[in-house]
Amino acid sequence: MTTSTRRLLLAGGATLLAAPALRAQSAWPSGPIRIIAPFPPGGSTDALARLLQQPLSQSLGVPVIVENRAGASGSLGTAAVARSAPDGNTWVLVFDTHAVNPALIPNMGFDTERDLTPLLQFGTAPMVLTAHSTRPYKDWAAMAAAARVRPDTLTYGTIGNGSLAHLTMALVGRTTGLQLVHVPYRGGGPLAAAALAGEVDLPIATRPAIGVHVDSGVLVALAQTGSTRSPTMPNVPTLAECGVAGIDARAFWGFLGPANLPAAVKQRMEAELRKALEIETVRTRVTNLGIDLEPQGEEAFRAFLSRQIRTWGQVVRENNIRPD
C-alpha cells in the first residue's frame, strides 16, 4: 500500500467517524422550539419572548412556541428547562428573580449555576424610586431628611417580598441608616394602582411598571438604582449621585437553556437571537419595554449572574428576608 493510498483511507475513515456528529449538528433544529416564560402572560418576560417568537421561527425554519409556566418567582418554569434534554429544543427567558431565588427558595430542585446554560443576556433596567406628587419631598435629599425626622413612618412599595426592589431598599437602609417601612404588593399591577392612588409614599419598580405615572406627573422620580443613568431616564440621578455609594441594582433579562448544550447549538441560537435584536421594530419595542439593550454572551452573562447571586444572597441572609 502506497503512502498516498494510506492517507486517503485514513482521511475517509475520519470522515465516516465524523459524519454522525456533523449530521446531528446540521439536523438542529429538526422540530418545534419551546421558550418558557416563567411568569403569567402580560409581564416583561412574556412580552420579550413573544417579540422574539416570529423572527426566530423565520430564521430557524421551525415553529417557536412560547409557554407560560408561572410559579415560585419564576423557578417552576426554569426548573422544567434545567431538567430538559440538552438538545436545543427547550429554553427559558428569565428576569432578575432568577438571581434572587437561590437564596429565597432553598428547595428549587435544581442548581442555578450548575444545571443551566446562560446563553445571552439581553439587557438591563434600573429601578426608579418615586414619590407621589402630593408628598412634600421632590428629590432624594428632601425625602431622606423627612425619613430621618420621622423614622419608621415613610413607606416604600414593591412588587413583592423578596423582590429585587425590596432587596435594594433593604441595602439602602443598611447603607444610609434610613428607617423605611416595606409594603409588598402582589405584582406590578397592584403596585401601580397603589402608586397612582397615593397609598404608599415611595413606590419603587422598573420604568415599565410605573414609568407612565412618572411621565404623567402623578409620581416624581427621586433616584434610579443603576450605577449610571439609563438612557430611558436621562434626567433622573443615580443613587450614587444622591450620595448613596456602592449600589448597582438593575433588573435584567436573559435567555438560558439546560446544561451541556452542544457548542454548535449554542452558537447558532445566540447568533439568531442577536440577529433578531438587530431588527429595528424589535429594538424599538424592547426599548419601549424600558430595557437598556446591551447583549452579553455566555461567559459575560455567566459572570454577571454569579455576581448577582452572591450579592443578593448576602442581602437576603443579612436581613432575614423570606418569600411571601
Side-chain angles (χ1 to χ4, degrees), residues 32-35 49 52-54 56-57 60 62-66:
I33 288 176
R34 183 172 55 141
I35 301 175
L52 295 168
Q53 185 177 14
Q54 183 178 359
L56 285 177
S57 180
L60 292 170
V62 295
V64 174
I65 301 164
V66 175

Side-chain angles (χ1 to χ4, degrees), residues 44-45 48 93-95 120-125 251-255 291:
S44 60
T45 58
L48 188 51
L93 206 161
V94 300
F95 184 57
L120 187 70
Q121 179 182 339
F122 297 121
T124 62
F252 68 86
W253 292 260
F255 202 81
I291 300 172

Side-chain angles (χ1 to χ4, degrees), residues 53-248:
Q53 185 177 14
Q54 183 178 359
L56 285 177
S57 180
Q58 289 177 341
S59 62
L60 292 170
V62 295
V64 174
I65 301 164
V66 175
E67 177 184 333
N68 296 95
R69 189 175 293 196
S73 297
S75 65
L76 290 185
T78 306
V81 176
R83 293 191 294 264
S84 67
D87 54 14
N89 293 332
T90 307
W91 306 85
V92 64
L93 206 161
V94 300
F95 184 57
D96 52 67
T97 59
H98 182 72
V100 176
N101 285 341
L104 283 177
I105 308 172
N107 300 309
M108 292 191 297
F110 66 95
D111 185 287
T112 302
E113 296 185 86
R114 182 194 63 211
D115 297 332
L116 293 156
T117 298
L119 187 74
L120 187 70
Q121 179 182 339
F122 297 121
T124 62
M127 288 168 290
V128 55
L129 179 68
T130 65
H132 197 275
S133 57
T134 59
R135 302 304 193 267
Y137 28 86
K138 307 302 180 185
D139 57 29
W140 172 272
M143 180 279 296
R148 290 191 173 92
V149 170
R150 297 184 295 132
D152 291 322
T153 57
L154 268 65
T155 59
Y156 68 91
T158 74
I159 63 170
N161 202 46
S163 64
L164 184 62
H166 179 200
L167 301 186
T168 300
M169 292 305 289
L171 187 55
V172 165
R174 278 184 171 265
T175 303
T176 63
L178 295 178
Q179 298 176 41
L180 305 171
V181 179
H182 181 217
V183 180
Y185 292 88
R186 293 195 175 275
L191 172 62
L196 184 62
E199 292 177 5
V200 63
D201 296 309
L202 304 167
I204 176 171
T206 56
R207 181 171 173 79
I210 58 176
V212 63
H213 301 318
V214 174
D215 294 340
S216 70
V218 174
L219 299 179
V220 178
L222 305 182
Q224 56 180 295
T225 63
S227 58
T228 58
R229 294 194 185 194
S230 167
T232 63
M233 297 181 288
N235 299 319
V236 181
T238 65
L239 286 172
E241 290 176 292
C242 296
V244 186
I247 296 177
D248 182 12

